[in-house]
Amino acid sequence: SLFNLRTYKTSEEIKVPEKIIDQIIGQEEAVETVKKAAKQKRNVLLIGEPGIGKSMLAKGMAELLPSEELQDVLVYPNIEDNHNPLVGVMPAGEGKKIVTNYKTKAKSQEEKKNMFTMILITFILVVGFILGQFLAAIIAAGIVFLALQQMKPKTSIMVPKLLVNNENNVIAPFVDATGSHAGALLGDVRHDPYQSGGLGTPAHERVEAGMIHKANKGVLYIDEIGTMKMKTQQELLTAMQEKKYSITGQSETSSGAMVRSQEVPCDFVLVASGNLQVLEGMHIALRSRIRGYGYEVYMKDSMPDNPENRDKLVQFVAQEVEKDGRIPHFSREAIAEIIKE
């Protein structure tokens, strides 16, 4: 229906569907289930061998989720408790504006401080010159300069950090977290090499978002989920249930382990996948959670040889050439060879 398959000369003439979900061939049931799951924002477990379209299905699902819900997340310093940074959530695109405002304020404060320093030093030097104590005045000016550099004004403006930025994103996020370790998945607080002597990096600046937070309002995809550590799977389950998750240092020995942020939103749809062997290593509660509230899909690994499916293979070749962007389009004869193969 998309093109006249009987008369095309090369794959260039074949119209490729715009949505990823419509580009998946031979998995009609899985596609229908994923479309339904996207509408209901339910989790999905895809069961099947590698190379049969699992990650493509997950990407296709992200395109189906509503993008108008996307959010930015900021992390602010907490004046009362430095180790518990505050979190602010706002509509996508607002985060950057707020950070820019703070930066402008901080810059003008810094300029005022520099101006004051210059005036004070000039005054000391002039007085010294008048009194004929020029050397003493230079030493005094140096001491005053160093003292002022060390002094932080009480109301020093600390710029918040943009933790998750969804500015200009037109589709819901798709995050592939396959094989990621706990810190990358759940977020982390970087170690601070300058933690002593008042030189420390403010705690909020060391907070790093995890993939679960970047996937907020979108899809978190984990292939071979059974190979992930049990403890990490347990935390993932908690994050799924609560839809928000605090960020703390993942290494017990690091100075980051002292810091714990307020809860950061992570309202994602989980698309987990694996073959039957991998699923044996999957956390029982996590699997039953998906079973109870979402969908378990057994993927097909073959499709019948009929004219309709042969037409789909033609479309598939055209898609792959277009996606690759470097190889030339296939002639009709070349596609016939592929279908035969």
Side-chain angles (χ1 to χ4, degrees):
S1 59
L2 286 173
F3 45 84
N4 188 349
L5 267 167
R6 306 291 158 248
T7 59
Y8 76 94
K9 291 196 174 56
T10 78
S11 55
E12 196 169 3
E13 296 163 40
I14 292 157
K15 192 168 176 289
V16 173
E18 298 212 335
K19 281 206 155 81
I20 292 176
I21 201 88
D22 300 322
Q23 296 177 8
I24 298 164
I25 65 164
Q27 300 287 2
E28 290 76 16
E29 286 161 40
V31 165
E32 283 316 302
T33 306
V34 162
K35 283 180 175 174
K36 198 161 45 173
K39 271 202 185 108
Q40 302 164 341
K41 291 196 76 179
R42 305 268 173 128
N43 305 309
V44 182
L45 178 61
L46 304 171
I47 301 163
E49 296 307 312
I52 52 175
K54 297 190 296 260
S55 64
M56 207 168 163
L57 262 172
K59 270 189 192 139
M61 187 175 187
E63 282 189 349
L64 301 174
L65 293 172
S67 59
E68 59 272 12
E69 290 185 357
L70 298 187
Q71 296 172 325
D72 286 347
V73 181
L74 286 179
V75 57
Y76 296 86
N78 184 344
I79 310 301
E80 271 84 53
D81 177 5
N82 179 31
H83 292 308
N84 188 13
L86 309 172
V87 168
V89 184
M90 59 226 56
E94 295 295 310
K96 207 170 179 184
K97 292 178 195 164
I98 292 173
V99 171
T100 309
N101 281 346
Y102 268 91
K103 277 184 179 161
T104 312
K105 276 184 201 161
K107 196 177 169 195
S108 77
Q109 190 187 54
E110 189 62 26
E111 281 167 359
K112 275 180 195 160
K113 183 185 158 188
N114 290 346
M115 190 73 182
F116 173 70
T117 308
M118 286 304 298
I119 292 168
L120 191 60
I121 286 171
T122 310
F123 175 72
I124 291 169
L125 291 175
V126 168
V127 169
F129 190 69
I130 292 166
L131 298 175
Q133 298 287 327
F134 200 54
L135 190 64
I138 289 174
I139 293 167
I143 292 167
V144 166
F145 177 73
L146 286 172
L148 285 173
Q149 288 306 97
Q150 285 306 312
M151 268 172 56
K152 276 188 179 168
K154 279 233 161 47
T155 57
S156 174
I157 291 168
M158 304 245 286
V159 179
K161 177 177 176 175
L162 189 50
L163 202 59
V164 178
N165 183 10
N166 272 309
E167 188 192 29
N168 301 333
N169 285 355
V170 286
I171 59 167
F174 167 78
V175 178
D176 185 348
T178 304
S180 46
H181 58 84
L185 184 72
L186 307 167
D188 208 345
V189 178
R190 278 181 293 122
H191 173 71
D192 185 8
Y194 306 116
Q195 53 191 324
S196 56
L199 290 168
T201 313
H204 76 286
E205 281 180 24
R206 295 187 284 123
V207 174
E208 302 288 347
M211 287 172 165
I212 59 171
H213 306 112
K214 289 175 184 161
N216 184 38
K217 304 291 181 193
V219 170
L220 182 75
Y221 173 63
I222 305 178
D223 193 12
E224 301 195 345
I225 187 148
T227 59
M228 201 171 248
K229 283 184 181 155
M230 265 309 160
K231 186 176 183 293
T232 311
Q233 289 190 49
Q234 178 68 56
E235 297 297 324
L236 181 66
L237 179 62
T238 307
M240 270 166 65
Q241 285 166 333
E242 304 292 329
K243 300 196 188 310
K244 48 191 193 296
Y245 191 88
S246 291
I247 299 175
T248 186
Q250 290 293 331
S251 154
E252 290 83 3
T253 55
S254 130
S255 59
M258 297 271 297
V259 176
R260 187 175 202 89
S261 78
Q262 273 188 328
E263 289 176 321
V264 180
C266 59
D267 181 9
F268 56 84
V269 173
L270 176 69
V271 179
S273 68
N275 57 24
L276 284 168
Q277 290 77 41
V278 168
L279 294 182
E280 286 168 12
M282 190 174 173
H283 196 293
I284 296 165
L286 184 59
R287 185 166 181 186
S288 69
R289 169 95 190 168
I290 298 176
R291 262 202 176 142
Y293 295 92
Y295 298 94
E296 216 166 81
V297 181
Y298 284 85
M299 306 276 290
K300 291 198 178 112
D301 53 9
S302 66
M303 59 186 198
D305 180 9
N306 57 34
E308 192 190 341
N309 280 339
R310 286 182 177 211
D311 288 355
K312 282 182 184 164
L313 284 171
V314 178
Q315 176 197 314
F316 188 72
V317 171
Q319 281 166 198
E320 291 305 302
V321 173
E322 201 163 291
K323 260 186 228 161
D324 182 85
R326 291 184 295 272
I327 49 175
H329 274 281
F330 282 48
S331 69
R332 200 188 165 104
E333 295 75 26
I335 293 177
E337 277 301 314
I338 287 174
I339 291 171
K340 192 169 131 192
E341 186 65 40

